[in-house]
Amino acid sequence: MDDLPFDSLYRHGFARVAVAVPRVRVADPAYNAEQTVELATQAAAAGAVLTVFPELGLSSYTADDLFHQDALDAAVEASLARLVAASTDIDTVLVVGAPVRVHHRLFNCAIAICRGIVLGVAPKSYLPNYREFYEKRQFAAAREALDDHVTIAGHHAPFGSDLLFRASNLDDFVFHLEICEDGWVPLPPSGFAALAGATVLINLSASNIVIGKADYRRSLCTSHSARYLAAYLYSAAGTGESTTDLAWDGQALICENGDLLAEGERFSDHPQLITADLDLRRLVADRLRTTSFADNVQDHRDRLAALRHIDVRLPVPEAPVTLEREIARFPYVPADPALRNERCAEVHHIQVEGLSTRLRATGTERVVIGVSGGLDSTQALIVAAKTMDRLGLPRENVLAYTMPGFATSTRTRTDAHRLMAALGVTAHEIDISPSATQMLRDLGHPAADGAAVYDITYENVQAGERTSHLFRLANMHGALVIGTGDLSELALGWCTFGVGDHMAHYSVNASVPKTLIKYLIAWAVDTEQFGADANEALSSILRTEISPELIPHEDSSAPAQSSEATVGPYELQDFHLYYLLRFGYRPSRVAYLARHAWSDSATGRWPDLVPADQRNAYDLATIKHWLGEFLRRFVQTSQFKRSTLPNAPKVGSGGSLSPRGDWRAPSDASAAAWLEELDRNVPDA
């Protein structure tokens, strides 16, 4: 789809689909076909390539024994023919429900129609004949069919519940049809279809409404989409069906991989049409990584091999279609406050559990940690203090050291001392300037004699001196060194290798991205974990510029050196990290998603803790620049650091870069393929 405009969602592996619930008249196919055409036309105008209608929507579901009347059968056939003819000018695949006579049997069918062609007809496999349903009175099940093709409305088409419709012009769009009860049985047809490659599972339903049933349907559809790593589209009969004994709510659902993307208004007195943009690439990426999914395919390969594949050319719009799906700016940080608090509490407990287990296993009761007054060391210190609480040990067993150097600001130094005092840990200060100067002198570096040569050696001497002190302090006190570096820094290689902030006995933040670190600290403040004095220090730290504080400057009151000026805005680089690490998307798709999420600060949801004046926006050129920097660092220059990481607990499915966990990569890789794809497929503006 690279020939489509960059602005089109279809170029980047999305597809817009629709679920429709028309008003019907019982046993009035002509009227029902008109309603179907009207809603399908609206869906096509909205850019949807597929539109799903309810079970037996052309005849109505509640026709009962009228289904065996020749007059109704003829009216359905005539209306279906008119619908097929009308579809020539409607740019969406229509999936409609109708009764179909084949070899003197009547089947409850789902019929796929596209641009004047009947693509296929799928009969219902499982007919309910309990409680209020008596479908076996009127219909035959799919297993009773004798032929694999049928002539309907003048069209000869494939017939059977074994049909997979594969888009020839939209990668990864493969749909399957099932009807109502088919989705309720223990082994639904859609499950086998998903194993055979279907990514879009469709259920045409009638399903009357009783108390609690809507919640059950919603749960059923979302769980199907999660289990099968697929989208699940559901349309139930609504207004106009007979209420002789039952009522109908017209529930319309679009689900994807366990998420509810869209739901219509139930009990509506007017026709319903909902749309959603499916992320096909995400579904395929998850299937690619879920090896048990592939194992399940092999276990059922004989049955799957019998499924029939039908090629379909979807009516994909050539003009740009703007993505309407919400893409979170902060994929690691939920915008909803309640969900975010739950996430932060869970991450905090995982970190504490990880460190607690390591201390128990080693028989160690003390830890050593460097406290800079920055975000990462603050969160690590919080975890260390809470770990002592969990183990029933005094917080004094946390041996905390702030180690000012050549560029330490008074603000971060003061915050470090305030925090250590408020948490009740054992606080120390070691000025590393003398030992760092001696190291520079031993190296023959001009900075030892006062020259303003602030190169990487100058910076890493300070980082190395701090870590060297911490390890020797741990030796003296029988303690473990707690690492403070986070996931974002590891991804960007923004750490000093070996005897530097890269190394520790145990790291607690290694799978926590920088954006989430900020909210973990804010959560500690909001939930009053440590009291008023600690909250003051933590709040000050949250307001401080992220800086390595390694290069001197005239104003020593606050950090002047900016990490983000070198490696890029962490909020943007964390976005890139999530989609590359979690899904492996091509760079142009990541850039497309980033622009959708970040191009306009006035749209979309923000976490409430982000002040209005810090709600940033990034244009495509800026995104492309920083994504290129991320790719170069992540793929090509930093893997050797990640290959020798200390142990650390994984906290989320968004990723870990441990070579023992989520990420194994060569240290000698080239980023050329990624950078070339970015340059070729992403406009400069």
Side-chain angles (χ1 to χ4, degrees):
M1 305 300 286
D2 287 350
D3 56 333
L4 291 175
F6 183 81
D7 292 344
S8 175
L9 65 90
Y10 287 101
R11 174 169 174 163
H12 301 283
F14 291 92
R16 182 165 298 163
V17 296
V19 171
V21 181
R23 176 187 292 274
V24 301
R25 289 179 183 170
V26 177
D28 190 348
Y31 174 85
N32 297 337
E34 290 175 2
Q35 300 302 305
T36 299
V37 168
E38 183 175 335
L39 285 176
T41 302
Q42 293 176 23
V49 292
L50 182 144
T51 307
V52 180
F53 293 85
E55 178 181 11
L56 295 172
L58 287 185
S59 57
S60 75
Y61 178 80
T62 50
D64 291 333
D65 286 350
L66 297 180
F67 283 121
H68 286 172
Q69 294 288 311
D70 291 345
L72 180 59
D73 177 60
V76 168
E77 182 85 2
S79 294
L80 185 60
R82 289 194 294 272
L83 182 61
V84 173
S87 72
T88 303
D89 299 319
I90 304 174
D91 287 335
T92 188
V93 174
L94 288 81
V95 180
V96 300
V100 176
R101 290 191 185 187
V102 182
H103 278 300
H104 314 298
R105 307 301 302 274
L106 186 65
F107 293 89
N108 179 346
C109 293
I111 305 169
I113 303 165
C114 183
R115 287 176 170 168
I117 298 173
V118 177
L119 302 173
V121 181
K124 191 171 183 176
S125 296
Y126 299 97
L127 304 177
N129 222 55
Y130 57 91
R131 297 193 184 99
E132 59 266 35
F133 297 106
Y134 305 99
E135 287 189 25
K136 289 185 179 181
R137 179 181 175 94
Q138 288 96 27
F139 296 103
R143 67 184 67 83
E144 300 176 54
L146 300 177
D147 291 342
D148 60 6
H149 281 73
V150 65
T151 299
I152 182 171
H155 294 260
H156 193 62
F159 178 68
S161 60
D162 58 346
L163 305 179
L164 292 182
F165 302 86
R166 184 182 302 275
S168 60
N169 61 331
L170 184 58
D171 290 344
D172 307 319
F173 193 101
V174 183
F175 67 92
H176 172 266
L177 310 177
E178 66 184 9
I179 303 173
C180 201
E181 189 79 4
D182 293 348
W184 295 59
V185 299
L187 295 175
S190 57
F192 295 101
L195 292 176
T199 52
V200 182
L201 310 177
I202 296 168
N203 188 303
L204 291 73
S205 179
S207 187
N208 69 301
I209 185 62
V210 293
I211 294 171
K213 197 172 186 180
D215 290 337
Y216 186 85
R217 291 194 208 113
R218 191 180 301 110
S219 176
L220 187 70
C221 293
T222 53
S223 63
H224 277 351
S225 72
R227 179 179 300 107
Y228 303 134
L229 300 176
Y232 200 89
L233 281 57
Y234 181 90
S235 178
T239 301
E241 289 286 358
S242 174
T243 57
T244 299
D245 291 302
L246 305 173
W248 314 88
D249 65 337
Q251 190 167 23
L253 303 166
I254 301 177
C255 309
E256 178 194 285
N257 206 0
D259 295 326
L260 178 62
L261 300 185
E263 181 170 4
E265 178 188 350
R266 297 169 52 235
F267 300 108
S268 174
D269 60 358
H270 57 272
Q272 289 283 297
L273 181 70
I274 62 170
T275 63
D277 297 339
L278 305 181
D279 192 342
L280 302 172
R281 295 271 173 85
R282 179 193 176 195
L283 297 173
V284 172
D286 279 349
R287 289 183 178 185
L288 181 68
R289 287 160 176 75
T290 308
T291 55
S292 54
F293 189 92
D295 290 342
N296 208 213
V297 171
Q298 289 302 310
D299 288 344
H300 298 283
R301 59 186 177 276
D302 292 340
R303 175 165 179 169
L304 304 183
L307 297 179
R308 288 180 285 166
H309 296 258
I310 300 169
D311 284 340
V312 180
R313 185 166 184 82
L314 296 177
V316 176
E318 295 181 359
V321 179
T322 302
L323 185 66
E324 294 180 353
R325 179 183 178 123
E326 181 180 7
I327 304 296
R329 291 180 175 86
F330 298 92
Y332 294 104
V333 183
D336 177 72
L339 184 58
R340 185 179 65 246
N341 285 341
E342 181 181 326
R343 174 79 54 84
C344 288
E346 190 77 357
V347 171
H348 172 81
H349 290 311
I350 291 171
Q351 291 180 289
V352 171
E353 174 64 22
L355 182 55
S356 298
T357 299
R358 178 52 51 90
L359 293 178
R360 287 194 189 100
T362 59
T364 306
E365 296 187 348
R366 294 183 180 85
V367 297
V368 168
I369 183 171
V371 182
S372 67
L375 294 172
D376 293 340
S377 65
T378 294
Q379 177 59 21
L381 183 60
I382 287 172
V383 171
K386 284 293 188 178
T387 297
M388 293 303 160
D389 296 347
R390 180 180 176 88
L391 295 175
L393 297 171
R395 289 187 186 174
E396 288 84 357
N397 285 18
V398 177
L399 310 180
Y401 294 83
T402 184
M403 292 179 282
F406 300 138
T408 301
S409 67
T410 55
R411 174 169 184 163
T412 56
R413 183 179 177 185
T414 299
D415 283 343
H417 279 288
R418 291 169 67 194
L419 181 61
M420 291 187 293
L423 296 185
V425 301
T426 301
H428 299 275
E429 178 175 308
I430 298 176
D431 184 354
I432 65 160
S433 299
S435 57
T437 300
Q438 183 60 51
M439 173 69 78
L440 291 169
R441 183 169 291 110
D442 293 342
L443 296 174
H445 194 282
D449 297 320
V453 179
Y454 305 136
D455 55 11
I456 191 169
T457 302
Y458 181 87
E459 293 190 6
N460 284 350
V461 160
Q462 296 172 75
E465 283 298 315
R466 289 189 173 106
T467 303
S468 180
H469 277 76
L470 292 174
F471 273 101
R472 301 298 73 81
L473 287 164
N475 293 154
M476 283 182 60
H477 298 287
L480 296 185
V481 176
I482 304 304
T484 62
D486 63 44
L487 181 68
S488 308
E489 293 179 342
L490 290 171
L492 293 161
W494 194 240
C495 57
T496 301
F497 183 71
V499 185
D501 54 327
H502 161 268
M503 190 48 60
H505 287 125
Y506 194 77
S507 293
V508 294
N509 294 336
S511 69
V512 186
K514 186 78 76 177
T515 47
L516 184 53
I517 291 279
K518 294 176 68 173
Y519 286 94
L520 286 165
I521 297 171
W523 170 80
V525 174
D526 289 347
T527 56
E528 296 287 342
Q529 295 289 312
F530 299 105
D533 290 344
N535 285 353
E536 280 190 34
L538 293 173
S539 298
S540 177
I541 290 166
L542 285 170
R543 295 191 298 268
T544 303
E545 172 80 15
I546 299 172
S547 172
E549 292 197 308
L550 296 172
I551 296 177
H553 53 96
E554 293 183 3
D555 181 7
S556 62
S557 62
Q561 190 180 7
S562 171
S563 297
E564 293 179 299
T566 301
V567 299
Y570 279 114
E571 59 189 10
L572 190 58
Q573 298 296 43
D574 278 359
F575 185 96
H576 298 153
L577 170 63
Y578 178 81
Y579 285 104
L580 283 159
L581 183 60
R582 174 70 174 81
F583 301 107
Y585 292 155
R586 64 179 63 182
S588 60
R589 187 172 206 256
V590 176
Y592 173 77
L593 295 174
R595 186 181 69 166
H596 183 72
W598 285 99
S599 62
D600 185 355
S601 62
T603 63
R605 291 183 296 173
W606 284 88
D608 57 338
L609 297 179
V610 180
D613 61 348
Q614 294 179 25
R615 297 186 174 185
N616 301 314
Y618 302 99
D619 59 21
L620 187 59
T622 302
I623 290 167
K624 183 176 181 179
H625 168 76
W626 287 120
L627 179 53
E629 179 68 15
F630 180 91
L631 293 168
R632 183 183 66 81
R633 287 175 168 272
F634 181 74
V635 177
Q636 186 163 317
T637 66
S638 304
Q639 180 56 37
F640 74 98
K641 298 181 181 181
R642 299 189 287 267
S643 295
T644 54
L645 286 177
N647 292 178
K650 178 181 175 181
V651 303
S653 60
S656 162
L657 291 173
S658 167
R660 299 167 298 277
D662 279 12
W663 188 251
R664 296 172 179 85
S667 298
D668 306 308
S670 168
W674 286 261
L675 294 171
E676 188 277 333
E677 199 279 339
L678 177 71
D679 184 63
R680 175 167 47 88
N681 289 323
V682 179
D684 291 326

